[in-house]
Amino acid sequence: AEAAEAAEAAGGFSYVAFAKAYPFLNNIIIATLKTSAADLVAQCAIERKSFGEIDWQRNLVFCLFGAAYLGAFQYWYQVNIFKRLFPSIEKFTSQPWSAKLTDVPGLISLAQQIAIDLTVLIGVYLPVFYVFKAGVFSGVVDPAQWVRDGTGSYLRNWTKDVSDLVMVWFPADLVCFSVPLFLRLPVRHIVSFVWTAYLSFVRGKK
């Protein structure tokens, strides 16, 4: 907060100062914009829709999901919780790649982080996405119905979704959890943009 205030006092806005002062809020903003943009790419570039044909209700699903899950929840567990579970991650990620390959405790920690992340993606990320989608498209204000419909979609699509998710996120996690900590979420956001565009294309429609 002090860095952001100092930038303002100096006569201008500094994004770097803002990101350092408010990392949680910054991540929510990035995640929301990213998921919205990824859906628009899927609709306009992949599905070839004109601007007037864009499904803004579908885009709202990704905005809300991006803010709540990818912005808030992902920051909380990947930054706060992982630091507590794996206190040596900063040492491992700051090493050159040659040293990482011979750091057995660090490699074990890497494997554990990947296992936890894939478990969360399969057991939390996917069902939460379908519940958000059900909430926007259902037309009723009934959270219990959203959960029932979302859970039903999650279970119906489980085999294909999990196969695709592991194929993308296992190699991505190898990189995300190996790079220096300050690059972890930026790298993840890049992969997530591509994944979200794909998810929008195959699962975003009503």
Side-chain angles (χ1 to χ4, degrees):
E2 290 179 4
E5 290 170 5
E8 282 186 25
F13 173 79
S14 168
Y15 172 73
V16 174
F18 172 81
K20 288 182 177 178
Y22 307 102
F24 180 68
L25 177 59
N26 180 61
N27 196 61
I28 290 177
I29 293 171
I30 290 174
T32 305
L33 295 175
K34 175 198 68 183
T35 49
S36 174
D39 172 61
L40 291 175
V41 166
Q43 293 198 51
C44 296
I46 301 175
E47 298 171 34
R48 303 287 184 176
K49 290 183 178 179
S50 67
F51 185 81
E53 295 173 321
I54 291 174
D55 184 344
W56 292 108
Q57 193 176 25
R58 165 177 160 184
N59 192 255
L60 178 62
V61 173
F62 285 91
C63 286
L64 295 175
F65 180 65
Y69 183 92
L70 300 174
F73 177 75
Q74 182 172 265
Y75 181 92
W76 171 73
Y77 101 86
Q78 288 219 343
V79 175
N80 297 339
I81 300 303
F82 270 29
K83 272 189 174 181
R84 294 179 187 174
L85 291 176
F86 308 102
S88 63
I89 59 173
E90 195 154 5
K91 174 180 175 292
F92 175 76
T93 58
S94 62
Q95 298 178 121
W97 288 97
S98 56
K100 287 173 184 169
L101 294 174
T102 58
D103 183 350
V104 175
L107 291 172
I108 292 173
S109 174
L110 172 63
Q112 291 171 332
Q113 290 176 76
I114 292 172
I116 291 173
D117 189 52
L118 290 177
T119 299
V120 170
L121 286 169
I122 294 168
V124 180
Y125 169 89
L126 285 174
V128 169
F129 165 73
Y130 282 115
V131 170
F132 267 86
K133 181 181 174 183
V136 172
F137 282 125
S138 67
V140 298
V141 184
D142 183 359
Q145 183 65 45
W146 303 346
V147 172
R148 285 194 295 272
D149 291 348
T151 302
S153 297
Y154 167 64
L155 294 174
R156 281 194 302 276
N157 298 322
W158 195 89
T159 302
K160 178 74 164 63
D161 285 352
V162 170
S163 173
D164 291 346
L165 186 148
V166 172
M167 193 181 304
V168 171
W169 283 107
F170 177 74
D173 276 353
L174 280 172
V175 177
C176 288
F177 296 134
S178 297
V179 297
L181 282 181
F182 73 92
L183 289 175
R184 174 171 293 192
L185 286 180
V187 169
R188 195 169 185 85
H189 280 310
I190 292 170
V191 179
S192 181
F193 181 89
V194 177
W195 166 257
T196 303
Y198 169 75
L199 186 66
S200 170
F201 177 64
V202 297
R203 301 295 184 217
K205 302 178 187 70
K206 187 171 181 179

